[in-house]
Amino acid sequence: MLRTIDLRGRDLSPAELLAAVPRATAARDEALASAAQLVADVAADGEDALRAQAERFDGVTGHDIRVPSEHLDEALAQLDPSVRAALEEAISRVRTASRAQVPAPVVTELAPGARVSQRWQPVRRVGLYVPGGKAVYPSSVVMNVVPAQVAGVQRIALASPPQRSHGGRVHPVILAAARLLGVDEVYAMGGAGAIGAFAAGVASLGLDPVDVVTGPGNNYVAAAKRAVAGRVGTDSEAGATEILVVADAAADARLIAFDLVSQAEHDEQAAAVLVTDSPELAVAVDAETRVAATATHHAARVATSLAGPQSAIVLVDDLAAATAFSNAYAPEHLELHLAAPRPEDFVHAGAVFVGPDSPVSLGDYLAGSNHVLPTGGQSRYAAGLSAATFLRPQQVIEYDRAALAEVRDAIVTLADAEQLPAHGEAVAARFTGAQA
């Protein structure tokens, strides 16, 4: 079911390691072209394009794209009390962890009368995407909304696909989670078109353009973010999910198998990868994965994911080689099943789960961490969703006359060196004529 990539006995360069990483590159390239067209259609045709896409992809027509307030109220009233309690616990944990992500303002006194203040300003309006195709993700409502609220965002809009099985409404558990968090601007729209609608706005729906778009989704949603980048801010491209497990001979093959299957059930394009220096563990994990994959509810989906080019068991010579492979892969989720884990060595990962009792499923729901994380190797340079995603660092400069006088000559010198004399003249003018 899982193919094997044998890197033992090979001294790979960084470029060769990157080439060895299992990726579904063809699927991502296809998604980018399609998503760009869907985004352009919404920008040009607004609500008409959204309705055409809903019929094409969701099998829904004539639905309320902007969710009426009473639908939110009904959903919360009918929410299973146990689900509500679990959501409330998740909200509490994510809110506590998110508060730690808000930097404190800092004032730096460079000289008497010379002050630079660093403050963090929330964006004005955000559009949050919650997937809803192959599964229901109220947890993603929590992961998107709570950090935005903690950051101080005042206007929050949320989108999730219309559900044919619910008469074109957004799934009621997602609506209930939104109402639980006080979000009342919700849209039944999905995929790349929803991202395009957030970026361009849709006047007929009363949907104003947003400043930042965030949220997980499939490869089309991730590609749509790339298509709107520059018009709006985006978080990292959280596309089809990935798990990389780094394990040694002491690891429990059964637990690893369950963790690989748990991520493969998200989507046929999900990536499940094990890297190990133990051939015996590799054989055991392959056998356990076959058993777990066959027995699980979404067996067909899991089988497709595990058989895809993005999934594999990778054999390496030692832990150093496993670490190098992991850092080249830069996974969304990294699990360390090692007798002596050193998480500080694994510098490229969206989130790191250390030890057998810290599975990715914990992070998906109740760890307190955020599960909206970069995929496709982007954790080499991008961060997961946090309160900081919705904040902009802003510098405030305050100099009095004496402090400006102290640096006047240096400013003029540098301005002349750059052949921009008017820059120096703008400073000198404050000490001549009526200003003197």
Side-chain angles (χ1 to χ4, degrees):
M1 182 173 290
L2 281 163
R3 66 189 175 112
T4 299
I5 300 173
D6 194 342
L7 301 181
R8 291 174 296 177
R10 299 171 62 184
D11 185 17
L12 299 178
S13 69
E16 289 170 330
L17 262 179
L18 282 172
V21 165
R23 301 276 192 212
T25 54
R28 288 196 175 92
D29 291 343
E30 177 188 347
L32 182 59
S34 298
Q37 185 58 59
L38 294 168
V39 166
D41 289 345
V42 172
D45 299 324
E47 183 178 345
D48 289 342
L50 289 172
R51 292 197 177 281
Q53 291 173 20
E55 183 174 9
R56 175 183 172 188
F57 298 116
D58 305 303
V60 169
T61 60
H63 63 299
D64 292 310
I65 297 181
R66 183 154 184 163
V67 175
S69 181
E70 57 267 25
H71 292 186
L72 294 159
D73 294 333
E74 289 171 12
L76 184 57
Q78 296 168 11
L79 183 64
D80 185 307
S82 65
V83 175
R84 177 169 183 157
L87 283 172
E88 288 173 339
E89 180 64 22
I91 290 166
S92 174
R93 288 172 177 255
V94 174
R95 197 177 299 281
T96 298
S98 296
R99 288 194 185 105
Q101 299 160 353
V102 179
V106 177
V107 178
T108 304
E109 298 281 352
L110 293 111
R115 173 187 300 167
V116 175
S117 300
Q118 180 81 49
R119 65 185 186 187
W120 297 81
Q121 295 286 92
V123 297
R124 176 188 61 91
R125 175 168 165 78
V126 299
L128 311 179
Y129 185 73
V130 175
K134 296 181 172 69
V136 184
Y137 293 102
S139 58
S140 288
V141 178
V142 176
M143 299 295 175
N144 274 276
V145 173
V146 171
Q149 291 176 334
V150 168
V153 176
Q154 296 299 309
R155 299 181 61 195
I156 295 175
L158 188 145
S160 191
Q163 302 293 306
R164 185 176 182 180
S165 58
H166 291 278
R169 295 190 183 190
V170 171
H171 195 283
V173 180
I174 291 175
L175 293 180
R179 177 59 91 208
L180 198 60
L181 284 159
V183 177
D184 55 13
E185 185 182 350
V186 181
Y187 297 90
M189 56 187 188
I195 306 302
F198 277 147
V202 181
S204 64
L205 300 174
L207 171 54
D208 295 327
V210 302
D211 302 313
V212 169
V213 175
T214 73
N218 58 21
N219 286 338
Y220 292 91
V221 171
K225 291 181 185 177
R226 190 174 300 183
V228 301
R231 260 191 291 168
V232 295
T234 65
D235 61 343
S236 58
E237 294 176 16
T241 192
E242 304 164 347
I243 180 174
L244 173 64
V245 178
V246 179
D248 57 21
D252 187 323
R254 179 172 170 273
L255 294 183
I256 292 172
F258 273 104
D259 290 354
L260 295 175
V261 169
S262 74
Q263 294 306 295
E265 78 170 337
H266 276 285
D267 191 275
E268 288 84 354
Q269 294 179 0
V273 181
L274 164 68
V275 58
T276 182
D277 60 354
S278 170
E280 295 77 15
L281 179 73
V283 171
V285 168
D286 185 56
E288 292 283 1
T289 301
R290 292 174 185 271
V291 173
T294 303
T296 195
H297 180 73
H298 297 295
R301 187 187 307 163
V302 168
T304 301
S305 165
L306 296 179
Q310 71 276 15
S311 298
I313 293 174
V314 182
L315 289 170
V316 293
D317 288 312
D318 50 32
L319 181 56
T323 304
F325 179 87
S326 176
N327 286 332
Y329 187 101
E332 177 190 20
H333 305 105
L334 171 63
E335 285 191 0
L336 301 181
H337 290 244
L338 301 168
R342 288 177 51 84
E344 63 271 22
D345 293 340
F346 295 85
V347 294
H348 298 321
V352 183
F353 298 80
V354 183
D357 296 318
S358 301
V360 169
S361 297
L362 172 66
D364 282 342
Y365 299 110
L366 282 166
S369 58
N370 202 294
H371 78 202
V372 183
L373 301 165
T375 61
Q378 291 193 53
S379 67
R380 288 183 296 115
Y381 54 83
L385 188 66
S386 72
T389 305
F390 305 101
L391 295 168
R392 298 157 294 152
Q394 186 180 69
Q395 298 178 85
V396 179
I397 299 91
E398 299 173 273
Y399 271 55
D400 63 20
R401 185 175 180 80
L404 180 61
E406 187 177 342
V407 295
R408 168 189 174 184
D409 291 344
I411 293 172
V412 171
T413 297
L414 289 173
D416 288 344
E418 293 186 350
Q419 299 183 31
L420 297 171
H423 281 62
E425 291 163 4
V427 173
R430 285 161 168 76
F431 301 94
T432 60
Q435 298 294 325

